[in-house]
Amino acid sequence: MNSNKLNGEVYYPSEEVISKAHIKDWEQLNEFATNNYEKFWEDLANELHWFKKWDKVLDDSNKPFFKWFTGGITNISYNCLDVHTKTHRRNKLALIWEGENGDTKTYSYFALHRETCKFANILKSLGVQKGDRVTIYMGRVPEIVIAMLACARIGAIHSVVYGGFSVESLAERIEDSNSKVLIVADGAYQRGKIVPLKQIADEALQRCGTVEHVLVVKRTGQEVNMEFGRDMWLHELMNLPVASRECSLEKMDAEDPLFILYTSGTTGKPKAILHTHGGYMVGTYASLKYVFDIHEEDRYWCAADPGWITGHSYIVYGPLLNGATSFLYEGAPNFPYPNRWWAMIEKYGINILYTAPTAIRGLMRFGEAWVNRHDLSSLRLLGSVGEPINPEAWKWYYKVVGKEKCPIMDTWWQTETGMFMITPMPCVPLKPGSGTRPFPGIQMDVVDENGNSVKANEEGFLVIKTPWPSMIRTVWNDDERYINQYWSKYPGMYLTGDSVRRDEDGYYWIIGRVDDVIKVSGYRLGTAEIESALVSHPAVAEAAAIGLPHEIKGNAIYTFVILKNGFTKSTQLIEELRQHVSHEVGPIAKPESIEIVDSLPKTRSGKIMRRVLKARALGQDPGNISTLEE
Ligand code: PRX
């Protein structure tokens, strides 16, 4: 493809950007990766440390249970920390942290390694062994990073639950993963208030019986309940001899589990996506290096939360594997004022900013003046993730934040993919609203109901046709769900759950989810989670949740509820139901609206037809309703 002849509105990278970039010719790299797929990944794997090299790069003998770098022995935590402490990066900053209240902390690679070893020794002393699951429930504080790296060091499987989730979400994730240890903070600062994480955890622990030990990180300092024999303060243990600075690490098979991360799917309970030490490490390392073009002197900021995949791959593992300096901010973007982000970019000299469209739209609302008060000239690259970015927000980000000199890396990927799958690189011409093309070598397609490729510019289902190193290995404890969800609709193709359009230049334009997943402010929620929270309230007989377009959040949750006999509609009850969902699932799931109805549109077999509810709310034609019950 000749990049000089692209259709539509195109932004070409400057000579300056290209001259600095690791990859100057995307077409050439893509051609190499396509024709030498395994060699491409093998070369990248060779840039990392292995205690023993692999026998095979890709093992596809048992599809769709693909394996990567089989026979290889490594440890991702070793590659994130130990490797750098043996080089010029020993005293380089690995992590810079700013709390919402202005507290700051910095960790060199040496210090992060030391803290990780100490933490890992505490976990060992609690009996945590290779393969055990550890649940982590915290805000954006350095200890969340350290806890993850400590688990990885000793081969424990971490399961991070986002701090914005609440009682039932936490309880079911602890129970499903059968975690014996929970690492929690007393609280988290969010928009000047304290989120009482420990209190939420206490309530969750009453609903599930697996946890034996709770490690509590002191952050917000309010009084919390400490159950004797179960709960311990981390800072106290860190001062005891048990928290030695020497901690032998577990040598991990490339295919050994690294973490599970729960995410919402089409139906039922959230499922735990399993990622491994070897392939995940290679995928996150390489994708960050090429896409955000990490250089030694960069200060990189991914403003996501470590509790979601973006944070796992691109706050914790990707940056540390690259020996980068990563910035972590605890609080809200507009606290105490809407210039908070811009002030921190200026203060720390951030070069790369990676965030979500919802945050951009939210900050855009406050106007340019807040941005223009600050010197943002350190910025070189910008990024976007989580949902489609509307061209208006893209242009604001490009012009007002990036001053028309920073390309925007609009990266499409998923919890399941582990790494960027459709993404530009700095040298690639951009079209606002498109993530451009698949990562080099990865074959994707847009197909119709029968799995046939559709024509350019037609809408279809997004599928992936080649395996990739950081791909989901399975759904934790549920191989069948893994097969059914991702591989059963079209044989040999991974089903993403997104609908998409591909233009005549091969650029992909994501339209949105085609299943029962709702993206609210970039967060992934399932209709089933919201509905089951609603029906757990004594007044509710049945409930249905849908997502409707929202100017800032992308989508907002609208719900329809049938009350049980004896309950009557009132504003008070509706507010109580909204609070109930917030308490059970989390504030992010709180419905925008709850409409009390007498009936719900259902198929004859009793399935709620959310499509019909959505069409009705939007005043659109509901399409085929032949299966609708009388
Ligand atoms: O619908 C797509 C949307 O987010 C979904 C994956 O959500 P999750 O697993 O939570 O991971 C989010 C962060 C990687 C996708 O199926 N999505 C993600 N990135 C983009 C996007 N939609 C449009 N453009 C993106 N850049």
Side-chain angles (χ1 to χ4, degrees):
M1 188 195 62
N2 183 345
S3 59
N4 292 324
K5 287 195 197 140
L6 295 174
N7 297 284
E9 188 179 9
V10 185
Y11 289 66
Y12 291 91
S14 67
E15 280 309 316
E16 199 186 336
V17 166
I18 298 177
S19 67
K20 170 121 186 164
H22 285 304
I23 302 302
K24 299 187 185 358
D25 187 339
W26 185 91
E27 307 293 340
Q28 196 186 1
L29 184 71
N30 187 44
E31 196 183 316
F32 174 77
T34 306
N35 297 330
N36 310 273
Y37 195 55
E38 291 186 29
K39 172 88 171 69
F40 170 72
W41 286 113
E42 181 164 39
D43 288 349
L44 287 160
N46 270 319
E47 294 179 18
L48 295 157
H49 181 87
W50 298 77
F51 300 108
K52 175 181 166 287
K53 289 279 170 78
W54 47 90
D55 305 318
K56 212 168 170 8
V57 175
L58 168 64
D59 175 357
D60 58 2
S61 57
N62 183 26
K63 294 172 189 164
F65 298 94
F66 296 92
K67 291 181 179 168
W68 284 83
F69 308 108
T70 47
I73 306 286
T74 188
N75 181 303
I76 195 170
S77 191
Y78 184 89
N79 273 288
C80 286
L81 299 170
D82 303 54
V83 162
H84 306 306
T85 60
K86 298 180 189 5
T87 69
H88 61 283
R89 293 189 183 129
R90 182 180 173 82
N91 296 320
K92 175 178 174 175
L93 290 185
L95 188 65
I96 303 174
W97 173 78
E98 184 163 309
E100 193 183 72
N101 62 353
D103 291 350
T104 56
K105 276 188 194 172
T106 54
Y107 296 81
S108 63
Y109 273 93
F110 170 79
L112 199 60
H113 176 258
R114 180 192 65 220
E115 296 303 295
T116 300
C117 287
K118 290 174 64 128
F119 202 128
N121 277 323
I122 293 173
L123 292 175
K124 277 188 187 175
S125 75
L126 298 177
V128 177
Q129 291 178 350
K130 181 176 172 181
D132 288 348
R133 275 79 58 209
V134 172
T135 296
I136 301 174
Y137 181 59
M138 272 190 252
R140 287 186 290 270
V141 287
E143 287 80 359
I144 192 168
V145 179
I146 295 166
M148 290 164 74
L149 292 165
C151 287
R153 184 171 186 89
I154 61 171
I157 303 169
H158 58 70
S159 167
V160 182
V161 179
Y162 170 56
F165 278 125
S166 198
V167 180
E168 183 56 25
S169 301
L170 177 60
E172 71 183 6
R173 285 160 173 78
I174 293 174
E175 182 128 69
D176 185 75
S177 62
N178 202 358
S179 294
K180 292 196 178 53
V181 173
L182 169 68
I183 307 168
V184 63
D186 52 355
Y189 287 114
Q190 186 64 24
R191 209 162 273 122
K193 297 205 185 94
I194 292 175
V195 183
L197 296 173
K198 175 66 167 66
Q199 193 185 319
I200 296 169
D202 284 339
E203 203 177 327
L205 292 178
Q206 284 168 7
R207 298 188 191 179
C208 58
T210 66
V211 170
E212 290 162 14
H213 304 288
V214 180
L215 286 177
V216 190
V217 173
K218 198 176 202 111
R219 166 64 187 132
T220 42
Q222 81 280 17
E223 200 167 322
V224 293
N225 160 56
M226 294 292 282
E227 194 171 305
F228 184 74
R230 186 194 71 181
D231 303 354
M232 286 158 286
W233 287 108
L234 180 75
H235 64 272
E236 288 177 2
L237 297 181
M238 285 292 251
N239 285 327
L240 298 178
V242 65
S244 151
R245 296 167 61 159
E246 301 295 324
C247 174
S248 61
L249 69 87
E250 201 68 42
K251 292 188 174 165
M252 304 297 284
D253 189 280
E255 282 293 315
D256 275 338
L258 166 64
F259 65 82
I260 52 176
L261 184 58
Y262 286 83
T263 192
S264 305
T266 295
T267 48
K269 284 186 169 186
K271 53 195 171 189
I273 307 302
L274 177 72
H275 284 289
T276 59
H277 269 255
Y280 176 81
M281 172 172 83
V282 176
T284 51
Y285 163 75
S287 54
L288 186 67
K289 175 176 170 174
Y290 285 170
V291 175
F292 282 108
D293 204 36
I294 300 294
H295 290 271
E296 199 60 70
E297 65 281 13
D298 280 335
R299 285 195 166 178
Y300 158 88
W301 179 18
C302 167
D305 192 286
W308 296 88
I309 192 66
T310 311
H312 279 54
S313 298
Y314 298 115
I315 294 178
V316 183
Y317 292 113
L320 296 175
L321 289 167
N322 276 281
T325 298
S326 196
F327 176 65
L328 182 68
Y329 166 60
E330 179 182 40
N334 56 347
F335 188 86
Y337 300 108
N339 66 330
R340 181 65 185 264
W341 272 23
W342 322 124
M344 292 189 301
I345 290 171
E346 180 176 15
K347 176 176 169 190
Y348 296 105
I350 304 288
N351 308 105
I352 303 161
L353 171 66
Y354 183 32
T355 183
T358 188
I360 299 161
R361 289 191 296 261
L363 290 166
M364 199 171 133
R365 197 173 40 149
F366 297 109
E368 291 181 26
W370 289 103
V371 191
N372 293 337
R373 274 167 58 173
H374 297 277
D375 175 4
L376 304 185
S377 58
S378 59
L379 286 174
R380 189 175 93 246
L381 289 172
L382 300 173
S384 174
V385 63
E387 49 173 330
I389 179 164
N390 47 312
E392 195 196 355
W394 195 99
K395 285 178 196 164
W396 188 86
Y397 196 26
Y398 186 74
K399 290 198 175 118
V400 180
V401 181
K403 315 294 179 211
E404 302 188 31
K405 69 176 178 63
C406 308
I408 299 175
M409 303 298 107
D410 179 359
T411 61
W412 178 93
W413 59 295
Q414 309 178 299
T415 308
E416 292 88 341
T417 70
M419 61 172 262
F420 310 141
M421 296 301 281
I422 298 175
T423 177
M425 289 184 190
C427 64
V428 168
L430 304 172
K431 301 188 188 186
S434 168
T436 76
R437 289 170 290 170
F439 194 81
I442 291 172
Q443 306 302 314
M444 300 180 80
D445 205 353
V446 187
V447 300
D448 63 17
E449 201 49 50
N450 302 317
N452 301 316
S453 305
V454 303
K455 293 200 199 89
N457 287 316
E458 276 179 14
E459 187 177 339
F461 301 104
L462 179 65
V463 294
I464 309 175
K465 292 178 159 175
T466 27
W468 61 102
S470 63
M471 67 195 296
I472 171 180
R473 293 304 191 265
T474 190
V475 173
W476 179 249
N477 273 341
D478 203 345
D479 287 348
E480 210 173 308
R481 193 165 175 193
Y482 168 65
I483 296 171
N484 289 342
Q485 178 81 53
Y486 304 103
W487 301 97
S488 64
K489 187 164 168 117
Y490 311 114
M493 298 186 217
Y494 167 93
L495 184 72
T496 64
D498 278 19
S499 75
V500 70
R501 196 169 59 73
R502 185 172 46 192
D503 70 16
E504 52 279 62
D505 298 319
Y507 276 46
Y508 287 72
W509 300 77
I510 303 291
I511 295 159
R513 299 289 307 191
V514 282
D515 53 11
D516 294 327
V517 167
I518 309 178
K519 281 282 189 153
V520 183
S521 300
Y523 297 125
R524 180 165 162 182
L525 295 166
T527 52
E529 290 158 87
I530 302 155
E531 291 161 4
S532 76
L534 280 167
V535 291
S536 73
H537 187 281
V540 177
E542 280 189 78
I546 57 168
L548 292 179
H550 185 278
E551 209 180 323
I552 308 275
K553 298 178 186 174
N555 293 289
I557 300 165
Y558 283 72
T559 56
F560 302 85
V561 161
I562 303 178
L563 294 179
K564 282 188 186 153
N565 280 338
F567 290 90
T568 42
K569 178 179 166 178
S570 71
T571 345
Q572 200 187 347
L573 178 62
I574 288 174
E575 191 45 37
E576 189 179 316
L577 293 178
R578 292 181 73 224
Q579 289 304 337
H580 180 71
V581 177
S582 177
H583 181 262
E584 293 296 303
V585 186
I588 48 167
K590 201 183 204 176
E592 195 80 3
S593 133
I594 296 183
E595 197 178 319
I596 308 290
V597 293
D598 296 327
S599 66
L600 289 167
K602 285 186 191 160
T603 60
R604 273 175 223 110
S605 57
K607 264 185 82 181
I608 295 173
M609 293 182 82
R610 297 185 189 82
R611 179 168 62 80
V612 174
L613 285 170
K614 198 165 173 170
R616 203 176 63 186
L618 294 171
Q620 292 170 349
D621 174 10
N624 181 357
I625 49 165
S626 58
T627 57
L628 192 69
E629 195 183 37
E630 283 300 302

